[in-house]
Amino acid sequence: MSQQTVNWLVVGSTFALYLWIAVRARAGTTGEFYVSGKGVHPVLNGMATGADWMSAASFISMAGMIAMKGYDASVFVMGWTGGYCLLAMLLAPYLRKYGKFTVPAFIGDRYYSDAARIVAVICLIIASLTYVIGQMKGIGVTFSRFFEMSYEWGLVVGMIIVFVYAVWGGMKGITYTQIAQYCVLIFAYTVPAVFISLQLTGNPLPQLGLGGQMNDGSGLYFLDKLNTTLHDLGFGEYTARQGSMQNIFLYTLCLMIGTAGLPHVITRFFTVPKVRDARSSVGWSLVFIAALYTTAPAVGAMARFNLMETIRPNGGEWIKYEDRPEWFKKWEATKLLEFKDKNGDGRIQYLKDAEKNEMVKVDNDIMVLANPEIAHLSPWVIALVAAGAIAAALSTAAGLLLAISSSISHDLLKGIFAKNMSDKNELLAGRIAMAGAIVLSGYFGLNPPGFAAQVVALAFGLAASSIFPALMLGIFFKRINKAGAIAGMLSGIGVTLVYIFWFKGWFFMPGTEMAKDVADNWLFGISPEAFGPIGALVNFIVAYAVSSITPPPPEHIQHLVEDIRVPGTVKRK
């Protein structure tokens, strides 16, 4: 049986499972469409949140970034997991206690302003669409390789699948689909990691194999061998810091506060029955997420090692281009891996020196997907990885699209412009909005502004600079008024967007960059992906300054802020 046939069998069966769940769990009311009727068990919600969270960036690109950047890419592991601690302590219980369906609904009530609600919707849509682009990139990469179709057609297939089960099932269908997707993606991620760790170190636990001795009798530790291999070729040591500490710190902080401000994650904690369940749900989410995140460093390091060993076996001669393995040829066909014989010797040379390096393109996003093939694992394991990558992308895309849909149908239409809209029409509007968001994100997915993890990092910066400060100030500072909140959100996301577009192109359009995206051009050495905390700081300062010179919030709003932080029922007047 061919590899492609196995791929279709494994991935096709998972698609059938997702669609079956969506049909069985179809949302019939707005409560089920937006928050699954607020009846999801904390453990199940933790698993669904894990799938919602572990996107294509986590499954495909995080380990790819770790493979290529080593120590510097640890910002993803630290930032994304640290953000959940912020979410558990500072936001989730309070927002669940308030009892609204969406983040903009809370902001609109807290700042007693439809204008604030509209600004929150705009910020949410910008951040969420940017995030969905990263998922579309992951779907396109996976389909283009494992089903030997073009990147563009891979995007279309992914869009159709997520359209069917997300639009049909709403949050109720998405929740139970994400539980299944978590099981698929975590199995797909850990099984190859176990086999590869056994091959290289003899240890079945990748987390321990990363720091263990090589299985070749040399007595060398794996990381020492990898450091030596890379150093000999001019690359920096894998375990050494390459970038500036300032940028690494801000990047980590951006991912942390961006996590706590992402609407599709926050919305998941509206689906549990009680406030206590919201905090418990975050804890379970961390448990389920840790299964992948503690494995990612080993997956990345071993992928890099296997790649180097394939091209230069045992540190000897470079392999001849005509002798390249089959997986190399197939990834070349996707144009995500490119070789150029610069010296005409017919051998593949992979060096740090750009003038001598002949591996002119190694897309970070292929590392996890190619790893099982490089390690000569079973076709079923390779197909499982494809299914896991698609599950990761689809699960997060569905959550983001629901956040966009609910912000348009519930916050804009039902909340502001058509307050007498029936539940039936609101559901229809939500499904139409989701369909439109799918088409728009697919369009931008055709020309993504970076690797999946880089695109997602931009979304985190946008959420960090706009939504997170508004929520924090709304919960903990009763003096912040509507004028301050609106000015803060607009200034925070405005500054961040301009900085991102300056280096990534206006509205991510190719060829519109104002400066090359390199460290020498960055303001104070801060990369666009790490700029979120600066935007958040601007948000906090502007919100506080404007609130200080304008009238305070009404008394009942100040009482609301006090009530929301103590046990009991929120008192609304």
Side-chain angles (χ1 to χ4, degrees), residues 63 141 148 162 197 203 212 214 254 278 307 347 416 487 497 504 515:
V141 168
E148 297 181 10
V162 77
S197 181
N203 196 317
M214 294 293 296
C254 179
L307 175 65
R347 294 183 180 273
I416 298 174
L497 271 176
K504 301 293 184 180

Side-chain angles (χ1 to χ4, degrees), residues 345-364:
D345 67 351
R347 294 183 180 273
I348 303 172
Q349 297 185 30
Y350 187 22
L351 301 163
K352 174 68 173 178
D353 188 335
E355 293 185 2
K356 297 179 180 179
N357 176 45
E358 298 178 341
M359 293 282 285
V360 293
K361 184 175 182 180
V362 183
D363 194 299
N364 292 358

Side-chain angles (χ1 to χ4, degrees), residues 7 23 37 62 93 222 365 368 422-423 457 493 500 508 515 528 559:
N7 293 344
V23 171
M62 180 172 66
F222 171 74
D365 291 348
V368 170
S422 66
D423 278 4
I493 198 168
I500 289 172
F508 301 129
H559 286 313

Side-chain angles (χ1 to χ4, degrees), residues 21-22 24-42 44-45 48-49 52 96 99-102 166 168-179 264 266-274 402 406 427:
I21 292 173
R24 295 277 297 179
R26 187 188 183 198
T29 67
T30 52
E32 290 180 339
F33 188 82
Y34 295 133
V35 291
S36 195
K38 297 184 179 179
V40 183
H41 191 279
L44 295 179
N45 194 56
T49 305
D52 203 348
R96 174 60 188 88
K100 290 291 184 178
F101 285 163
T102 65
W168 187 276
M171 178 60 88
K172 186 177 180 183
I174 287 171
T175 295
Y176 294 103
T177 303
Q178 284 175 335
I179 293 169
H264 77 292
I266 295 172
T267 301
R268 286 240 54 96
F269 303 111
F270 297 158
T271 65
V272 292
K274 296 176 291 187
L402 182 64
S406 60
L427 271 175

Side-chain angles (χ1 to χ4, degrees), residues 95-267:
L95 293 175
R96 174 60 188 88
K97 180 181 177 181
Y98 194 70
K100 290 291 184 178
F101 285 163
T102 65
V103 170
F106 169 78
I107 289 176
D109 278 10
R110 162 59 182 87
Y111 295 113
Y112 51 99
S113 168
D114 285 345
R117 192 171 187 167
I118 292 172
V119 171
V121 168
I122 293 171
C123 294
L124 181 152
I125 290 174
I126 292 172
S128 297
L129 270 178
T130 306
Y131 203 156
V132 175
I133 293 171
Q135 311 319 305
M136 294 303 177
K137 167 82 189 297
I139 292 171
V141 168
T142 305
F143 269 100
S144 64
R145 163 60 190 89
F146 291 103
F147 301 103
E148 297 181 10
M149 60 176 65
S150 69
Y151 175 86
E152 292 77 13
W153 275 110
L155 265 183
V156 172
V157 173
M159 288 164 62
I160 292 171
I161 294 296
V162 77
F163 173 84
V164 172
Y165 81 78
V167 172
W168 187 276
M171 178 60 88
K172 186 177 180 183
I174 287 171
T175 295
Y176 294 103
T177 303
Q178 284 175 335
I179 293 169
Q181 287 168 333
Y182 175 81
C183 296
V184 171
L185 73 87
I186 202 65
F187 192 64
Y189 202 82
T190 54
V191 168
V194 168
F195 283 130
I196 293 171
S197 181
L198 278 170
Q199 283 183 352
L200 294 177
T201 68
N203 196 317
L205 292 177
Q207 296 89 338
L208 299 179
L210 180 65
Q213 288 184 318
M214 294 293 296
N215 201 24
D216 57 5
S218 66
L220 291 174
Y221 284 90
F222 171 74
L223 286 175
D224 289 338
K225 180 70 177 287
L226 180 58
N227 278 337
T228 300
T229 300
L230 294 176
H231 185 269
D232 289 346
L233 301 178
F235 296 98
E237 288 193 354
Y238 191 80
T239 53
R241 175 169 58 85
Q242 307 295 325
S244 72
M245 181 57 74
Q246 170 189 275
N247 194 65
I248 289 175
F249 173 78
L250 287 174
Y251 207 150
T252 305
L253 183 60
C254 179
L255 297 174
M256 286 181 67
I257 62 178
T259 297
L262 279 173
H264 77 292
V265 175
I266 295 172
T267 301

Side-chain angles (χ1 to χ4, degrees), residues 66 135 151 206 240 265 276 299 311 328 391 441 456 465 471 492 534 561:
I66 292 172
Q135 311 319 305
Y151 175 86
V265 175
R276 181 177 62 184
V299 170
I311 297 172
F328 195 108
S441 60
V456 167
S465 64
L471 293 176
I534 306 301
V561 176

